Amino acid sequence: MPLVREVTFDLLRRLGLTTVVGNPGSTEETFLKNFPADFTYVMALQETNVVAIADGLAQGLRTPVIVNVHTGAGIGNAMGALLSAYLNKTPLIVTAGQQTRQMLLSEPFLTNFEPQTLPRPYVKWSYEPSRPQDVPGAFMRAYAMAMQPPTGPVFLSLPLDDWDQEMAAVDVFRTIATRQAPDPDRLAAFARRIEASRNPVLVYGGDLGRSQAWDAGIALAERVQAPVWFGPFTENVPFPQDHPLYAGVLPAAVGPVSQALAGHDLIVVVGAPVFRYYPWVPGDTLPAGAELLQVTDSAYEAAKSVAGDSLVGDAGLAVAGLLDRLGQRPAPASPRPAGAREDAQALLAGAGEPLTAKQVFAVLSQCAPEDYVLVNESPSNMGELSQTRFGTITKPDSYYIMASGALGWGMPAAVGLALAEKRTGRGRPVVALIGDGSFQYAPQSIWTAVQHGAHVVFVVLRNEEYGILKAFALLEATPNVPGLDLPGLDIASLGQGYGARACRVASPAAIEAAFRQALAEPGVTVIEIPIDKTIHKLLGDG
């Protein structure tokens, strides 16, 4: 009779799940022994990196990835990245070894005492098979749970002695649906309300990107002739930012959102929560006289929305259905200009040192390739990035941030995305903008990138502080908060220590030369750039 391991790996092959990202422990070695030659193991040096690399890889490949971490301690280390994967709606099958079944009653060393509880609430499903022969079926159910909308991570706890048990050669493989069509009557009602609107506005979110509905989103905006905002903390760019109808990113606070949308009588939110708020700034939930419609693939998101009427279904299918039902609205008398982007030469005229973040982005704009992937984890500079050509995203699947706010996701996710570029043959370089504070959460990811020959450029902006927290201190009127300064960090040396090419540059010419070289040469580069310490208003002009 075949072993549990053999039946399970045969199932994983049929599902196309032949990549494992992990950091092995003693309770995982029985799963990994005699690792099949047709599978790929991506080693990371800490569990935050494991989950976030798998997150980026799964988003880049548009397929689930197997994650393998150590029992309770490993899952504990992974929870921050697991939160990000959950809010990013990334399908991951997270596995951890469990102690031998014969000893579980006495809770020996390295037991995960409550295996189904520990990863919650940041997984869609959590399970430990009741008997070894249930392991393949548990993987099949995990795949179905991860891929059915809303997609997201799931967790399996697997006792280490299960893998060598015999079982019948049962076939548990089955196909599943991964898209949910919206209710056609509700969709028709939404279309009628859009057509009856005097001045509608669209708010797009990450579900459109996951639905591969970039072109459909453009078509809807042009059919309705409505401006397009991104929801606060949108995890990927679902609409071209150089389009005349692009309006910007909504501020992440109650009052400012309402102010930004003032004058519109109908707000149509497609594929985004209503709304992600932080910090608390009071005000009206919606502008006076406005109604809201939400399209989401998550019944949970629909239920917790603070206002409006909801429609649950795949964002791409919903947009296609709306296009079938909507007529062409007339263009406005005065076309809306595309969002202003400051001229790089004007920004750099007479620039001193250190440069501002905006000036650094202006330099990068001058030598950026035609096609690249941008990952952003420099929170205090997002406003400045959006005002430059370098931060203007014009192609789908080209920009990623985490929806959670948990630092430490950006660097390993960039590595995963770079591995996906290599795997698919697209070959786009991945550029990760990282703050010097964010860099400290997951520098180990550099090693994985180096070992797997990923092409990723880490541009690290060093202002020797948690700039975003100083901005919060201004907003919250909390002076003299300790722990916000970060002196003495040597980013370039840390990068070199993990095997990357690394340099520290400050002038526009030196930054441009380093960036051009990093883009031209395969492999991993860390570019450390000092920037000025100006603190920008959190909800003000950049």
Side-chain angles (χ1 to χ4, degrees):
M1 295 180 70
L3 303 181
V4 168
R5 177 190 298 102
E6 296 166 345
V7 176
T8 301
F9 275 97
D10 284 344
L11 171 68
L12 296 179
R13 287 186 182 93
R14 295 183 68 185
L15 293 172
L17 305 180
T18 58
T19 296
V20 178
V21 184
N23 181 272
S26 56
T27 54
E28 290 69 48
E29 289 184 313
T30 51
F31 165 56
L32 298 172
K33 79 173 185 180
N34 297 320
F35 195 67
D38 58 329
F39 279 61
T40 299
Y41 187 84
V42 178
M43 170 68 174
L45 300 181
Q46 197 265 1
E47 289 86 358
T48 290
N49 294 275
V50 170
V51 175
I53 288 172
D55 188 339
L57 182 60
Q59 290 195 58
L61 296 177
R62 294 189 176 277
T63 187
V65 170
I66 302 289
V67 173
N68 186 239
V69 296
H70 195 28
T71 183
I75 287 294
N77 288 340
M79 283 300 289
L82 198 56
L83 164 63
S84 295
Y86 180 76
L87 293 178
N88 292 344
K89 297 185 179 179
T90 304
L92 300 177
I93 300 176
V94 182
T95 65
Q98 174 65 295
Q99 260 293 0
T100 310
R101 287 184 184 271
Q102 287 91 327
M103 297 194 296
L104 282 178
L105 180 62
S106 63
E107 297 184 353
F109 187 64
L110 294 180
T111 299
N112 187 350
F113 304 121
E114 296 188 28
Q116 293 171 259
T117 302
L118 180 58
R120 294 187 184 275
Y122 304 134
V123 292
K124 294 179 60 182
W125 182 60
S126 182
Y127 186 66
E128 183 175 279
S130 297
R131 60 191 188 119
Q133 291 75 18
D134 291 334
V135 169
F139 269 96
M140 185 63 243
R141 183 173 173 183
Y143 177 86
M145 290 291 294
M147 285 296 290
Q148 288 172 345
T151 53
V154 297
F155 175 71
L156 293 177
S157 171
L158 304 169
L160 65 88
D161 54 331
D162 282 4
W163 298 103
D164 287 327
Q165 302 300 312
E166 293 184 340
M167 66 174 292
V170 296
D171 184 4
V172 298
F173 175 82
R174 53 196 172 92
T175 61
I176 59 167
T178 59
R179 304 178 79 185
Q180 178 177 336
D183 172 25
D185 292 338
R186 185 77 161 171
L187 193 64
F190 273 33
R192 289 193 296 269
R193 291 174 68 178
I194 294 171
E195 286 203 317
S197 169
R198 170 184 51 82
N199 186 20
V201 61
L202 298 169
V203 178
Y204 284 174
D207 289 354
L208 273 171
R210 283 181 287 272
S211 296
Q212 301 184 63
W214 178 274
D215 291 336
I218 296 172
L220 179 63
E222 293 176 349
R223 180 78 57 85
V224 180
Q225 285 297 310
V228 175
W229 290 85
F230 295 166
F233 303 115
T234 293
E235 60 273 19
N236 60 61
V237 169
F239 186 82
Q241 293 177 296
D242 61 348
H243 194 285
L245 290 172
Y246 175 66
V249 180
L250 288 176
V254 177
V257 164
S258 182
Q259 293 168 13
L261 299 175
H264 296 284
D265 63 331
L266 184 66
I267 302 162
V268 184
V269 181
V270 183
V274 179
F275 290 102
R276 285 188 176 122
Y277 294 134
Y278 192 74
W280 166 244
V281 179
D284 295 328
T285 301
L286 297 179
E291 296 180 343
L292 186 143
L293 305 177
Q294 181 194 25
V295 176
T296 176
D297 66 1
S298 170
Y300 179 86
E301 288 286 355
K304 78 178 183 68
S305 295
V306 294
D309 301 325
S310 61
L311 171 63
V312 176
D314 178 85
L317 295 178
V319 170
L322 289 173
L323 288 169
D324 288 341
R325 292 165 170 83
L326 290 171
Q328 178 68 50
R329 292 172 68 97
S334 300
R336 301 175 184 89
R341 299 291 180 264
E342 297 194 33
D343 178 75
Q345 292 298 327
L347 278 172
L348 294 171
E353 294 182 19
L355 302 179
T356 66
K358 189 185 295 185
Q359 288 170 330
V360 172
F361 301 147
V363 176
L364 302 180
S365 297
Q366 294 179 316
C367 48
E370 176 66 23
D371 208 2
Y372 58 98
V373 178
L374 182 61
V375 179
N376 187 2
E377 198 173 288
S378 184
S380 59
N381 304 303
M382 287 186 179
E384 292 183 298
L385 177 64
S386 67
Q387 297 166 11
T388 65
R389 189 176 67 83
F390 186 67
T392 301
I393 305 303
T394 62
K395 298 180 180 180
D397 303 321
S398 297
Y399 180 85
Y400 299 87
I401 62 172
M402 79 297 203
S404 68
L407 297 181
W409 178 88
M411 292 183 68
V415 174
L417 287 160
L419 294 177
E421 290 297 312
K422 184 177 180 180
R423 180 82 59 85
T424 60
R426 290 187 299 257
R428 296 178 297 174
V430 176
V431 180
L433 291 178
I434 307 293
D436 54 351
S438 298
F439 185 93
Q440 309 311 316
Y441 283 76
Q444 308 95 329
S445 58
I446 296 171
W447 181 87
T448 301
V450 170
Q451 297 302 311
H452 286 268
H455 190 186
V456 57
V457 183
F458 297 102
V459 177
V460 185
L461 304 181
R462 181 170 58 83
N463 58 5
E464 300 185 321
E465 61 191 6
Y466 289 124
I468 189 67
L469 296 181
K470 290 191 175 182
F472 270 106
L474 288 176
L475 178 72
E476 297 168 345
T478 53
N480 302 318
V481 174
L484 303 188
D485 292 304
L486 302 171
L489 296 174
D490 188 343
I491 304 295
S493 292
L494 289 170
Q496 289 173 342
Y498 286 108
R501 298 184 298 266
C503 60
R504 183 182 298 110
V505 290
S507 69
I511 294 169
E512 179 174 351
F515 191 51
R516 287 189 185 278
Q517 181 178 1
L519 292 170
E521 297 181 359
V524 185
T525 304
V526 175
I527 303 174
E528 176 186 348
I529 306 172
I531 61 172
D532 82 335
K533 298 185 178 184
T534 301
I535 303 302
H536 302 285
K537 290 182 180 179
L538 197 63
L539 295 171
D541 47 7

